[in-house]
Amino acid sequence: MELFRLSATEVAFGVRDGRFSAEDVVRSCLSRIESKEPEIHAMLTVTAEAAIARARELDGRRSAGEDLGPLGGVPVILKDNMCTAGVKTTCASRILEEWVPPYDATVVRLLLKAGAVLLGKANMDEFAMGGSTENSAFGVTSNPWALDRVPGGSSGGSAAAVAAGYAPIALGSDTGGSIRQPASFCGVYGLKPTYGRTSRYGLVAFASSLDQIGPFARTAEDVALVMEVLGVHDPMDSTSQPVPPDDFSQALSARDLKGKRIGYLKEVAEYDYDDRMKNALSKAMKACEEAGAEMVEISLGTAIDHGLASYYILAPAEASSNLARFDGVRYGSSSKDPESLMELYLKTRKDGFGDEVKRRILTGTYVLSAGFYDAYYLKAQKVRKVIKQEFAKAFEKVDSIILPPSPTPAFKVGELIDDPIAMYMADVFTIPVNMAGLPGISINVGFSEEGLPLGVQFIAPRWGEKELLSTAAVMESRFGGAKIADGGDL
Amino acid sequence: MSLTFTTVIGLEIHVQLNTRTKLFCGCSTDYIGATPNTNICPLCTGQPGTLPVLNERVVELGVRAGLALGCTINRVTRFDRKNYFYPDLPKAYQISEFYVPLAEKGEVTVTGDDGKPYKVGITRLHLEEDAGKLVHGASDGRIVGSTQSFVDYNRSSVPLAEIVSEPDITSPRMAKEYVATLRQMVRYLGVSDGDMEKGSMRVDANISLKVSDGRWGNRVEVKNMNSLRALERALEFEIRRQGAILSDGGEIHQETRNWDDSAGETSSSRSKEESNDYRYFTEPDLPPLVLSDSYIEDIERDLPELPWEKKARYERDFDLPQDDISVLTEQKDLAEYFEACVKAGASPARASNWIRTEVLRVLNERGGHISEFSLSPAALVELLRMVEGKKLSTTAAKEVFDAMVSREISLKEAIDACGVTAGNLSGDGLASLVQSVLEANGDVVEVIRSCDDKKDKKRKFLQGQVMKEARGQADPREVAKILDIELPR
Ligand SMILES: [Zn+2]
């Protein structure tokens, strides 16, 4: 068996038991990357040498009898918006093309402490803005299941990397669906944790009140394993909540969904979206029912009808402020020989940012401006409050909610790139979860006739990750874990 | 008919709060004289991905100042982002409390223009972070003509409290007193060192004039006043400038003006002239700041006696001239020294007198601070007792005092070292000293003998000369007796 096909849990056990070395695993993953990368282009940086050196160091420590930690020897890939000391962190933007952070993000620190081996940084939509990874300044990533299609976004590189077998684990960030939608497009598991569960320290901010880091994996067990490492309070992030670390793996022992009430949305049933996704949802709902769950129709009218519009006010507003620091003064690219300070700002930002980023900065600046603030920003905040209340009410009736992670399966490269509104509309089922700060998971439940992965999404109340993992484990026992895309021979 | 003007002044004061570390990171706040960009970290240089963590000590100091100003402390506040581009602002936004300040609706009492107590309203006190500093490359350090600029982020994210007054101030003198009162207050509270020269207390003034014919002049903001005197002069200048324009029927341009202390005038500021839209919104990286009643009560209980309260108590308890009270209460440590002397048994008048003339003289000469003064109040009182008991003359006591302070020795050691115990010189020894003084002042003796000594002036002069020669060791009564024998009346 090729070692790159192993799950993170299997790798950690194998390395611990001495069945293979961390270096063997890392070399297997690196050669997989080398063979697949020309057609997929999921990576912006591969730190091959450092990874091998790290693996050897871990192997040495293991031989000396040391416990390497829960992720001992596990290869991990990071979305390129998480800071890595000494390794470029570009956010797939020209403006940070050569930027090397002076510090590690908290998630990076935690992964290393747990014994993980970093293989490199994955492609993404520039500054996490987009749903297809086509907004990367450094080229599009292909969906490993269909090379002419997008992997989703904005964490498309991370999702594609896990689907292609580059690593059993990759981290993404989810501001409006950027983990759950690419997980669905690439046929893997993707968890967006409760806002405040994982540290944002060292995550280059897109929209601070919505961003959350989470894992991609090919099994529910691996998602739980990573969350036990990452789901700890971080004093460096004031929005990280001091909840005690959860025993996520314990949730995996669920064999059925007896006594569970799972909500499905009236608004989704009435929504006009892709039949393949509709079929996937019915299939999953049927599986839930067979596993003993009671399916309950609920309504989230504000969330589905107004969530998207409010999100596309709030997220750009925060982004316009978060991205203002890229002005050519301290770090990142800087226009050469400006005539004045103003010219430095204008030229640096004009040349450094891509169209979608500029579009959102302009939108965000507009909605915060004097005279428009009340009509847009304040109104959207009110909608956000209503959405939170709506979810709170729904969760009085149900334990979790099932809905599609996206209205469509993976679309073709270039299909939506000139239609930003259509691209935004693709986030309609994921955005409400971020607006309410809830945890959500996307899991693969099968493939379309033409071989495109199809996912479903479950969401739970705040801190309800265990609920999601139980459900995911039960679904996994029915639909099987995520598969590695080998290309050509489905 | 000639026009008259009413002056309307409101002040915004930025006070650097006295913490070891910055508002949102663990870097040192010590930027004065530090090598540029040495007290910095990823956060205070705005590196992507960094997040602010609130320094709790800053909140405590802010609440302390707010309570001392008689403000209401808001139990729930949020930090906001003030967005604007400037190279000294690394994140391109400043974190500040815009929508809900930490404290609001207080007051400070000053002397009104009619000499009576007058209340200046405090609109708000809020917390915010400082920016870095630009250093321009031209040889004279100015923007104009410089070809490059440098940024020093040592000051970036240093904690500030901004105290905004109501436009209640009616004269430059009152503005000066108001700032002096606040400065004294923050020093008493240990909240800030309140140093205007070093920039740990920065005053911006908003000034406008109301004309007796009903017109209102536009408001002008004046910056860059680095001392109380500069503040007063700048405001006086603005009153003359704006008054002249309004008298001619002109309009006051609403703008920001910089005070040039050496030129003695304000001039229109070139930077940030256009009106800014700061696009304030709540800082999503920081949760709401929620303060419990007990937290605030604890801080209130620990508040020291405030300068104006201390003054009132001195007026009530001690029979001292107003001037003494002002000097003694100017600094909290000095007042504490004084009170310790009184508590150890010194009379308030004598303690005050000695502190003003001797203690402050030595501190001035040496440039030290009362808190580091080597002579304890108890030791000073012991010395004063010897003077009261006539065991030491005042002259001798001052010599002993100097010895005790400069050589850090005990009272007894100092007396021995100076050899100045009262009465050491008497009898024949003293008689011969008197004799030598009389010989050296033959002309004076002649005047006395010829009965021309009006009001005993010359006799007193001779007495003084003897006492001086005796270096305090003679009993003045014995000296007088010997003089009476030598120069019978
Ligand atoms: Zn710092």
Side-chain angles (χ1 to χ4, degrees), chain A residues 251-265:
Chain A
L252 302 170
S253 57
R255 289 287 162 264
D256 56 49
L257 297 172
K258 285 196 183 105
K260 296 289 182 196
R261 296 163 66 89
I262 299 178
Y264 60 94
L265 299 184

Side-chain angles (χ1 to χ4, degrees), chain B residues 22 24-28 39-45 153 156-157:
Chain B
K22 293 182 179 181
F24 298 120
C25 63
C27 294
S28 165
N39 293 330
I40 57 168
C41 72
L43 181 114
C44 55
T45 52
Y153 293 109
S156 171
S157 197

Side-chain angles (χ1 to χ4, degrees), chain B residues 407-446:
Chain B
R407 294 160 63 185
E408 303 198 10
I409 51 177
S410 73
L411 177 59
K412 197 176 163 304
E413 287 165 338
I415 289 172
D416 288 348
C418 300
V420 290
T421 312
N424 255 5
L425 196 60
S426 65
D428 290 347
L430 185 57
S432 72
L433 178 69
V434 172
Q435 206 55 56
S436 66
V437 169
L438 294 184
E439 275 161 26
N441 293 282
D443 47 341
V444 180
V445 172
E446 206 47 52

Side-chain angles (χ1 to χ4, degrees), chain B residues 250-267:
Chain B
E251 269 210 35
I252 306 298
H253 190 42
Q254 185 168 344
E255 62 182 348
T256 298
R257 297 179 73 85
N258 277 326
W259 170 248
D260 182 335
D261 206 49
S262 53
E265 59 186 33
T266 64
S267 59

Side-chain angles (χ1 to χ4, degrees), chain A residues 64-367:
Chain A
E66 203 179 310
D67 177 14
L68 300 179
L71 295 176
V74 175
V76 177
I77 287 166
L78 302 168
K79 186 177 183 178
D80 207 20
N81 58 354
M82 296 170 206
C83 288
T84 39
V87 176
K88 278 199 293 186
T89 299
T90 68
C91 292
S93 179
R94 291 267 169 235
I95 213 158
L96 286 179
E97 191 167 1
E98 300 299 332
W99 185 58
V100 178
Y103 73 104
D104 273 332
T106 295
V107 291
V108 173
R109 198 171 46 74
L110 292 172
L111 286 173
L112 292 175
K113 204 176 117 213
V117 181
L118 303 183
L119 297 189
K121 313 292 288 284
N123 200 9
M124 56 186 281
D125 284 300
E126 184 178 4
F127 284 104
M129 297 175 185
S132 66
T133 313
E134 291 167 290
N135 293 332
S136 168
F138 309 118
V140 69
T141 294
S142 289
N143 190 312
W145 294 101
L147 297 176
D148 59 341
R149 292 182 183 256
V150 301
S154 63
S155 313
S158 298
V162 171
Y166 289 6
I169 302 292
L171 296 192
S173 65
D174 190 319
T175 306
S178 285
I179 290 175
R180 290 158 291 154
Q181 182 254 30
S184 174
F185 279 23
C186 292
V188 296
Y189 288 57
L191 175 75
K192 181 252 157 198
T194 307
Y195 185 81
R197 175 79 85 174
T198 52
S199 169
R200 293 186 297 115
Y201 184 75
L203 170 70
V204 180
F206 159 17
S208 313
S209 73
L210 299 155
D211 297 341
Q212 194 67 193
I213 290 175
F216 290 97
R218 293 187 298 262
T219 67
E221 193 179 28
D222 279 3
V223 173
L225 179 69
V226 179
M227 282 311 295
E228 283 183 359
V229 171
L230 301 185
V232 294
H233 175 235
D234 180 14
M236 296 293 278
D237 174 359
S238 305
T239 62
S240 159
Q241 293 300 308
V243 289
D246 233 328
D247 179 9
F248 295 107
S249 301
Q250 191 223 318
L252 302 170
S253 57
R255 289 287 162 264
D256 56 49
L257 297 172
K258 285 196 183 105
K260 296 289 182 196
R261 296 163 66 89
I262 299 178
Y264 60 94
L265 299 184
K266 182 173 151 279
E267 290 77 14
V268 169
E270 290 163 359
Y271 201 87
D272 180 23
Y273 67 105
D274 193 285
D275 283 341
R276 293 164 292 183
M277 295 306 286
K278 280 186 184 168
N279 291 339
L281 186 71
S282 338
K283 195 167 111 181
M285 282 172 62
K286 195 157 162 275
C288 289
E289 222 163 4
E290 283 166 11
E294 183 190 342
M295 305 307 287
V296 182
E297 190 189 67
I298 56 167
S299 169
L300 290 170
T302 311
I304 302 299
D305 295 345
H306 303 292
L308 190 87
S310 312
Y311 172 90
Y312 277 100
I313 289 169
L314 297 178
E318 292 183 19
S320 71
S321 173
N322 283 330
L323 271 62
R325 70 186 66 198
F326 304 106
D327 57 9
V329 174
R330 293 161 302 282
Y331 39 72
S333 70
S334 183
S335 88
K336 294 281 163 281
D337 303 320
E339 288 290 315
S340 66
L341 181 62
M342 188 54 88
E343 196 185 299
L344 169 73
Y345 288 159
L346 295 178
K347 234 175 145 288
T348 298
R349 292 167 70 80
K350 175 175 165 282
D351 298 341
F353 289 137
D355 286 350
E356 182 58 30
V357 172
K358 285 177 187 159
R359 183 151 42 231
R360 298 205 195 186
I361 290 174
L362 287 171
T363 309
T365 304
Y366 180 83
V367 299

